[in-house]
C-alpha cells in the first residue's frame, strides 16, 4: 500500500511581535507595581496590545504571558473575562448594549434588537463596511441610566431609546475617518 502525503493547507495566524516601543509601554505599566508583582500589569499590557493590534490574538497573549512570567492560560482567562478585550478584529465602532436585568427592565433587549435591525447585523456581527460591531454586554455599572450603551469601551451613552440610537448611528457615521 502506497502512502501518499495529502496537502493540507494551513492558514497561519497573523504574526505579531512587540516593537521596542510596545515593550517600553509594557515596562512602564510593570513599573507601577512592586517588583515581585509584575503580573498585576496584565490588564494594562493587554490594553496596549489591543491599541496596537486592534484585538488580542492568541499569539499576543503568549507574548504578554512570557513578558510577565505568567501561564498563557492565565492571560487567556483575563482576555476572555472582560468585554473590553476583543478576541478578533472588529468594526471601527464597537457598540456594546447592556442586557443585564436593570437595563432589560428598561427595554435593553429592544435597544439591542433595534440597533441590530438598524445596522442589518446579528448580535455580535459587523456591518459589511466594517464600521460597526454590535455586541451585548454585561452590566456596565450605570444602571440608573438604563438602558445604556458603550462605544469603543470608552464612551457611555444613556437612556437609549430608538430615536437616540438612530441619532448615535448617524453621528458616528458622520465622524467616519
Ligand atoms: S444593568 Fe445595565 S448598566 Fe447595569
Amino acid at each position: 500500500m502506497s502512502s501518499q502525503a495529502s496537502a493540507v493547507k494551513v492558514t497561519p495566524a497573523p504574526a505579531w511581535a512587540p516593537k521596542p516601543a510596545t515593550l517600553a509601554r509594557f515596562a512602564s505599566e510593570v513599573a507601577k507595581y512592586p517588583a515581585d508583582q509584575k503580573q498585576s500589569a496584565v490588564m494594562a499590557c493587554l490594553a496596549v496590545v489591543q491599541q496596537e493590534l486592534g484585538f488580542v490574538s492568541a499569539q499576543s497573549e503568549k507574548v504578554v504571558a512570557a513578558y510577565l512570567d505568567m501561564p498563557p492560560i492565565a492571560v487567556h482567562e483575563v482576555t476572555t473575562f472582560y468585554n473590553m478585550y476583543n478576541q478578533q478584529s472588529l468594526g471601527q465602532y464597537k457598540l456594546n448594549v447592556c442586557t443585564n436585568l436593570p437595563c432589560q427592565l428598561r427595554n435593553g433587549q429592544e435597544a439591542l434588537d433595534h440597533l441590530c435591525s438598524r445596522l442589518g447585523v446579528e448580535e455580535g456581527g459587523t456591518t459589511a463596511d466594517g464600521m460597526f460591531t454590535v455586541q451585548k454586554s454585561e452590566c456596565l455599572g450605570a444602571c440608573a441610566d438604563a438602558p445604556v450603551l458603550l462605544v469603543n469601551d470608552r464612551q457611555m451613552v444613556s437612556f437609549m431609546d430608538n430615536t437616540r440610537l438612530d441619532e448615535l448611528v448617524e453621528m458616528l457615521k458622520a465622524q467616519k475617518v
Side-chain angles (χ1 to χ4, degrees), residues 98 100-103 139-143 148:
C98 178
N100 263 197
L101 184 59
C103 283
C139 179
L140 295 168
C143 312
V148 299

Side-chain angles (χ1 to χ4, degrees), residues 28-45:
S28 171
E29 297 301 334
V30 167
K32 296 174 183 174
Y33 300 95
D36 62 344
Q37 295 176 29
K38 64 179 181 179
Q39 296 170 351
S40 299
V42 62
M43 291 186 69
C45 290

Side-chain angles (χ1 to χ4, degrees), residues 80-137:
T80 52
F81 183 81
Y82 294 100
N83 268 352
M84 62 187 176
Y85 298 118
N86 306 328
Q87 308 293 299
Q88 59 198 13
S89 182
L90 302 182
Q92 180 182 351
Y93 294 109
K94 179 170 76 167
L95 307 178
N96 277 95
V97 182
C98 178
T99 54
N100 263 197
L101 184 59
C103 283
Q104 286 285 32
L105 292 173
R106 294 177 70 174
N107 303 323
Q109 185 63 48
E110 286 181 36
L112 177 64
D113 292 343
H114 177 78
L115 197 54
C116 286
S117 172
R118 175 78 167 71
L119 295 172
V121 295
E122 300 286 323
E123 187 273 317
T126 299
T127 54
D129 61 2
M131 195 163 183
F132 296 100
T133 298
V134 181
Q135 298 177 330
K136 62 182 175 184
S137 163

